[in-house]
Amino acid sequence: MARTVKLDPRVLGARVCMTLWLAFAWVLLWGSVEVGTIVSGLIVATVVMVVLPLPRVPVEGLLRPLSTVWLVLVVAYYLIRSSIVVAWLSIRPTAPPRSAVLRAPMRLKSDFTLALAVNTLNLLPGGIVVRVDPVARYVYVHVLDAGTDEAVEQFRRQTAHVEKLYLRAFERDEDWRPSPEHYSAPADSAPTTAGTTTPGDPVDPAGGTDPENPGDADGSRPGEADADAASTPAGAEKPYDPTTEEEGPW
């Protein structure tokens, strides 16, 4: 009995888009938009897709065109704004900003979408992703300016906004169809939960030990933490902690 092979329309659409993209790259390489160049590009792209196929990535979400266009526009805005901020930090007549490695949640279900989001964060001036936890879905970003609470809050909101844009463009709940071929990344054993840092607590790359107080890892003096906790009003709003809250204020 012949075996029936059913091709998922989403997989077929992804292959067609990849073929068109390769043909477009072929036309760019030749530098002329002619019928012969376009046809030859389609032929070469088809041969590459058949003879040299890339590892199959399960297509589990659905691309939303309007949300994708909005994603591109917002990322372009962030690129311009971050470039201006970094340029000002490099020429302002004050001390260099304090840098730090900050942790932020990135709750994207697909590893492919997670990779796209990480690449987007790497494109934004002022920060670079140094580590990704594929199981807990956290990214660790080295931020150029993390010397103030306002700068840390700005980083948190920008990262959360990028995450939300990718969720709306590729991984809406009503469009998500889990695939049996979904790849599960191996567990990441280091650093442990005790050694991680929330977005509200910057990590000094030069080391967190105060030379005057070598016994205190965070550089604070004994009793300061208790004094701060005692001075916080009972009804005051606490900073957003991704380890305890499911959703942020956005």
Side-chain angles (χ1 to χ4, degrees):
M1 182 176 180
R3 180 182 178 183
T4 303
V5 179
K6 184 180 180 180
L7 185 61
D8 190 343
R10 300 188 181 193
V11 176
L12 179 60
R15 293 180 180 179
V16 171
C17 291
M18 179 59 68
T19 303
L20 294 177
W21 173 255
L22 292 176
F24 176 71
W26 177 269
V27 174
L28 289 181
L29 289 175
W30 280 96
S32 61
V33 183
E34 299 176 355
V35 176
T37 306
I38 297 175
V39 173
S40 62
L42 291 174
I43 295 175
V44 172
T46 303
V47 172
V48 170
M49 291 293 296
V50 174
V51 179
L52 302 172
L54 294 174
R56 182 176 177 179
V57 177
V59 180
E60 300 167 301
L62 182 65
L63 187 146
R64 294 278 184 163
L66 294 180
S67 297
T68 303
V69 172
W70 182 244
L71 166 66
V72 174
L73 293 177
V74 173
V75 170
Y77 163 74
Y78 280 148
L79 285 172
I80 297 174
R81 188 186 69 176
S82 300
S83 300
I84 295 175
V85 171
V86 172
W88 169 245
L89 291 176
S90 63
I91 64 175
R92 67 177 184 176
T94 56
R98 179 190 178 191
S99 59
V101 175
L102 305 181
R103 186 184 71 173
M106 194 61 62
R107 302 183 185 92
L108 298 171
K109 296 182 284 291
S110 169
D111 289 340
F112 178 72
T113 310
L114 176 62
L116 292 178
V118 169
N119 288 331
T120 300
L121 295 177
N122 286 334
L123 286 176
L124 301 179
I128 186 73
V129 179
V130 297
R131 181 171 169 269
V132 178
D133 189 338
V135 176
R137 286 316 203 215
Y138 281 97
V139 293
Y140 296 77
V141 185
H142 183 273
V143 182
L144 178 62
D145 182 12
T148 62
D149 293 339
E150 182 182 357
V152 174
E153 179 70 11
Q154 180 62 36
F155 157 79
R156 180 186 66 80
R157 291 190 178 276
Q158 178 174 291
T159 306
H161 195 196
V162 171
E163 174 195 23
K164 182 178 179 180
L165 291 172
Y166 271 96
L167 284 172
R168 291 183 60 84
F170 301 104
E171 294 189 0
R172 295 193 182 190
D173 293 337
E174 61 269 23
D175 299 330
W176 184 257
R177 299 177 184 174
S179 171
E181 300 179 1
H182 182 83
Y183 171 75
S184 298
D188 195 352
S189 58
T192 60
T193 304
T196 57
T197 304
T198 61
D201 301 325
V203 180
D204 189 353
T209 304
D210 188 352
E212 298 180 359
N213 301 282
D216 194 352
D218 60 358
S220 60
R221 298 178 181 177
E224 283 186 353
D226 296 336
D228 293 341
S231 62
T232 303
E237 182 180 357
K238 296 182 180 180
Y240 168 68
D241 185 1
T243 62
T244 58
E245 299 184 26
E246 291 298 330
E247 298 292 341
W250 56 91

